[in-house]
Amino acid sequence: MNILEAIKSRKSIRQFTGEHVKEEELKSILELASRAPSSVNGQQISLVYTRDKDIIEQMSVLCGGQKQVKDCDVFITIVGDFYRASSYLKNNIEFTDEIHRLREVAATDAGIMAYLINLAAMGYGYGSTIIGGIKQSPVEVAKLLNLPENTFPMLGITIGEPTKESLLGTPKPRIDFEAFAMENVYNKEVQQNAVENYEVKLDSWFKSIGVSQPLFGDVIKRFYSK
């Protein structure tokens, strides 16, 4: 698939056929993921991937009981990995205790990595979804995957063979373009209407695919209110 077309048609896939991801294609996806840019080229992201159905089922529970996790063929945990650097430095210099800074770096790099894996999986015809729910139970995820000190589970990503039904329909709409991309200076005036307009578009889109979801404005209120 052409990379521009992949970006334009990208959508989260939550239904899988149960067919296996080919081993050589999975390896290629993981190798492509290693090409992701990282802060100071520190390469402070590692991947823990599994096909083990018992581990995947446990991960689905830790991610909030997500069926899309349980049903995927491969689950990848994107790990902010400072253990590698700390083990290298331990005989030479005291490792930083600024955990907040490390998490910020890991969050940035993990987001880049997740999107690259998403597109690479699409290139081979697979579906995937980026799973933020992995952060609901970081201690339990770390224990399940035997993560050492100075590592943080940041995101998960599912990979599997998509069902035909999951590929139907248009990608989820986005916020008005003029509120997203602003030339020269930030345009405050367009922002409130942009949310209201988007709420209408998104609600219509959900109804078109037979999915009942709360209104976008209600989600924003719940997520950002004190």
Side-chain angles (χ1 to χ4, degrees), residues 80-217:
D81 185 356
F82 299 95
Y83 175 80
R84 185 160 45 236
S86 65
S87 64
Y88 167 73
L89 293 172
K90 66 182 178 182
N91 295 322
N92 303 290
I93 192 170
E94 188 175 356
F95 194 66
T96 181
D97 59 359
E98 295 181 23
I99 301 301
H100 180 71
R101 179 167 67 88
L102 296 182
R103 287 185 181 275
E104 282 188 344
V105 170
T108 299
D109 291 355
I112 296 169
M113 178 70 72
Y115 193 49
L116 195 155
I117 293 171
N118 198 183
L119 292 179
M122 285 184 65
Y124 281 107
Y126 298 115
S128 67
T129 300
I130 298 168
I131 306 295
I134 199 170
K135 289 179 285 189
Q136 292 184 20
S137 308
V139 174
E140 292 81 1
V141 169
K143 183 177 180 181
L144 177 63
L145 302 180
N146 196 31
L147 299 183
E149 61 183 352
N150 294 321
T151 60
F152 312 100
M154 302 304 299
L155 290 170
I157 187 162
T158 60
I159 302 180
E161 182 77 30
T163 63
K164 291 180 180 178
E165 292 78 11
S166 68
L167 295 173
L168 296 176
T170 58
K172 187 181 293 182
R174 290 295 187 257
I175 210 84
D176 291 345
F177 184 77
E178 59 268 24
F180 163 69
M182 295 162 276
E183 186 174 4
N184 296 327
V185 295
Y186 190 91
N187 187 343
K188 293 186 291 185
E189 285 70 29
V190 301
Q191 299 304 332
Q192 182 172 345
N193 284 340
V195 171
E196 294 170 353
N197 293 340
Y198 183 63
E199 180 175 85
V200 174
K201 285 195 297 185
L202 185 62
D203 185 52
S204 177
W205 181 82
F206 276 127
K207 288 176 179 175
S208 74
I209 61 173
V211 173
S212 177
Q213 288 287 330
L215 293 174
F216 181 72

Side-chain angles (χ1 to χ4, degrees), residues 40-58:
V40 302
N41 190 35
Q43 299 176 67
Q44 47 266 327
I45 292 292
S46 293
L47 306 178
V48 179
Y49 67 96
T50 184
R51 296 176 182 271
D52 185 299
K53 284 300 181 184
D54 180 57
I55 294 176
I56 289 175
E57 185 165 355
Q58 291 182 67

Side-chain angles (χ1 to χ4, degrees), residues 7-58:
I7 293 170
K8 188 183 299 184
S9 61
R10 194 215 71 81
K11 61 189 298 190
S12 296
I13 298 296
R14 297 180 172 86
Q15 290 87 38
F16 303 105
T17 65
E19 292 294 318
H20 288 306
V21 173
K22 294 179 181 177
E23 191 65 39
E24 63 274 16
E25 293 178 344
L26 175 59
K27 182 180 179 182
S28 178
I29 290 168
L30 297 174
E31 288 177 341
L32 288 168
S34 74
R35 302 302 306 167
S38 60
S39 304
V40 302
N41 190 35
Q43 299 176 67
Q44 47 266 327
I45 292 292
S46 293
L47 306 178
V48 179
Y49 67 96
T50 184
R51 296 176 182 271
D52 185 299
K53 284 300 181 184
D54 180 57
I55 294 176
I56 289 175
E57 185 165 355
Q58 291 182 67

